[in-house]
Amino acid sequence: MLKSEQLPNCIYQKQPLIICPACPTPNETLYLSNLDDQKFLRFTIKYLYIFRKSVDRETLKSALSRALVQFYPLAGRLRRRVEDDDHKLEVDCNGEGAVFAEALMDLSCDEFFEFAMKPNRSLLRKLLYRVEAPHFFDLPPLVIQVTSLRCGGMILCIAINHCICDGIGSSQFLHAWAHIYQSTPNSNHLSISPFHSRHLLKPRSPPQVTFSHSGFTKIAPTAELNPQTGPNIFNFLQSQPLVPSSITFSPSKIRQLKRHCYPSLKCTTFEVLASHTWRSWVKSLGLAPSFQVKLLFSANIRDKMRPEMPRGYYGNGFVLACAEAKVKELVALNLHHGVKLVQHAKSTITNEYVRSMIDLLDDGNVTTDLSSSLVISQWSKLGLEELNFGEGKPLHMGPLYSDIYCLFLPVAGEFDAVKVLVSMPESVVDKFEFYMTQLDDEINVENNGDAKNHYEVDNLKMVSV
């Protein structure tokens, strides 16, 4: 077995190519909604796939060129609006193209698994060609690297600008690319055509903010510790050596969690797993009992916004729902309580709530409140693990590397299993994994009413760090 520091380097035998649309596309400016260009999303989503069998590179590039005809904004370039500062962004649909890099690595699929299970930024970033650019705005919206392995398999890494696509949208694009790969050269027909316009999510005039939107703040906290508000968790995490934590919940473990709530409360897999992860995260950090903590999680709004938002909408069609509680309530009360908080946060996402949030974001000083929040994004229901270019589904799919934002990921070959991936400070990662995995102990603690005492004994007093 290879040691972690022995991941081979990628060998590039030729310079990356620029793949342009196969035929002329509309030369226009794409308006981005307030959900698209919020500062929280100004990064690229980086996907990592492992396939047992490689596919033909020339056909792959040709299919990409044809896919970019229909998803032509991904071949454009992001820019600031001329009449604005960097508060508003737009896409110049100029057909400049996507970056496509090819590499070799002296490794087999099976050997690579040990690195993919707990993705490490410093090790795995070499699997995606680094485009040198002075600013995020100057990066191509789509960068792809295909790395051939010595066993005949391949690693596929894709970086998609989050301002243009959300998870559902990027899954739609990737499946379109795979479909075109397997189609005849002159056939670009897709069962669902991409819908480009974002004007249906324009703010109202004048803006009407009719909800409180506790997941946002006007002035982001800058201090590590404030006597009134407590620690800034985001700053604390960013300042620590982080270690990826990856825990897989099989269907039986998920049923075990749900037994905390049945029969008095029915819940989904996401609701119970989000509550359990949030509580474990809070307990491992050892926050003061009176501190107010939040859980921000992505909520798909496509059904809430129909018929305005048609099928094929691949822009950012989600908002961050927000559950919040004091540490002592979240920890001392049982999992049932956390699930109800998550369910309540989901129930607030209505058409009017979304419109109110869009209007709120028209104020460029409003930002996502990360100071006391765990952020969870669900990738396990997007169909990303079903991607197939004709040689079989991936052995593995996930992010290129782990971050402080938590992901719920699908598990290849294990239907209804969910992998929870998040990076935690090295000093508390073992404690976090203990709370996440000791399900029977958790039930016993809750049934005995001793959760508060149990927590206080283990409290790490992060506020004193």
Side-chain angles (χ1 to χ4, degrees), residues 287-318:
L287 300 167
S290 61
F291 186 56
Q292 188 88 355
V293 288
K294 298 178 183 179
L295 173 67
L296 305 179
F297 59 92
S298 53
N300 181 18
I301 63 169
R302 285 164 170 81
D303 288 340
K304 307 289 184 184
M305 305 302 288
R306 299 201 194 283
E308 300 99 318
M309 187 175 284
R311 291 184 71 206
Y313 188 93
Y314 66 97
N316 285 281
F318 77 95

Side-chain angles (χ1 to χ4, degrees), residues 168-183:
I168 291 175
S170 55
S171 180
Q172 181 184 340
F173 164 72
L174 292 172
H175 282 283
W177 181 21
H179 172 78
I180 291 173
Y181 177 92
Q182 299 178 75
S183 302

Side-chain angles (χ1 to χ4, degrees), residues 379-407:
W379 290 17
S380 57
K381 298 297 181 183
L382 304 182
L384 289 163
E385 74 281 10
E386 301 293 321
L387 186 65
N388 190 341
F389 288 93
E391 298 293 349
K393 295 177 183 178
L395 299 174
H396 168 84
M397 81 75 45
L400 181 59
Y401 47 76
S402 177
D403 209 334
I404 60 175
Y405 304 125
C406 180
L407 297 177

Side-chain angles (χ1 to χ4, degrees), residues 236-460:
F236 170 77
L237 294 175
Q238 293 283 61
S239 69
Q240 301 297 302
L242 298 177
V243 177
S245 176
S246 175
I247 300 169
T248 297
F249 287 81
S250 65
S252 63
K253 287 184 178 180
I254 293 170
R255 287 194 296 272
Q256 189 176 352
L257 276 177
K258 287 182 177 181
R259 285 200 293 270
H260 291 234
C261 302
Y262 288 163
S264 61
L265 180 66
K266 292 184 178 180
C267 58
T268 66
T269 294
F270 175 82
E271 290 164 356
V272 72
L273 200 51
S275 174
H276 179 60
T277 303
W278 187 26
R279 296 176 77 231
S280 300
W281 185 81
V282 167
K283 286 195 280 188
S284 67
L285 290 174
L287 300 167
S290 61
F291 186 56
Q292 188 88 355
V293 288
K294 298 178 183 179
L295 173 67
L296 305 179
F297 59 92
S298 53
N300 181 18
I301 63 169
R302 285 164 170 81
D303 288 340
K304 307 289 184 184
M305 305 302 288
R306 299 201 194 283
E308 300 99 318
M309 187 175 284
R311 291 184 71 206
Y313 188 93
Y314 66 97
N316 285 281
F318 77 95
V319 296
L320 289 177
C322 179
E324 55 184 329
K326 290 190 182 298
V327 167
K328 61 184 178 183
E329 297 167 355
L330 188 64
V331 171
L333 298 177
N334 56 23
L335 186 65
H336 183 285
H337 177 69
V339 169
K340 290 182 71 175
L341 293 175
V342 173
Q343 290 179 337
H344 175 72
K346 287 175 64 176
S347 71
T348 64
I349 309 299
T350 62
N351 186 296
E352 174 57 29
Y353 182 92
V354 174
R355 291 290 175 192
S356 174
M357 183 177 291
I358 292 170
D359 291 352
L360 173 75
L361 290 170
D362 215 39
D363 182 344
N365 294 317
V366 170
T367 60
T368 306
D369 183 9
L370 302 176
S371 63
S372 59
S373 306
L374 171 66
V375 180
I376 295 179
S377 181
Q378 180 167 221
W379 290 17
S380 57
K381 298 297 181 183
L382 304 182
L384 289 163
E385 74 281 10
E386 301 293 321
L387 186 65
N388 190 341
F389 288 93
E391 298 293 349
K393 295 177 183 178
L395 299 174
H396 168 84
M397 81 75 45
L400 181 59
Y401 47 76
S402 177
D403 209 334
I404 60 175
Y405 304 125
C406 180
L407 297 177
F408 286 2
L409 301 169
V411 181
E414 296 185 48
F415 185 73
D416 280 347
V418 179
K419 181 165 73 172
V420 178
L421 176 67
V422 64
S423 283
M424 293 293 290
E426 191 173 20
S427 59
V428 302
V429 67
D430 289 343
K431 187 175 287 288
F432 172 73
E433 293 183 349
F434 170 81
Y435 287 127
M436 287 289 284
T437 55
Q438 297 302 309
L439 306 184
D440 290 330
D441 289 350
E442 180 78 6
I443 292 174
N444 292 335
V445 167
E446 290 175 357
N447 289 342
N448 292 331
D450 292 333
K452 185 174 186 295
N453 292 334
H454 179 235
Y455 165 71
E456 289 179 344
V457 169
D458 289 337
N459 194 317
L460 297 181

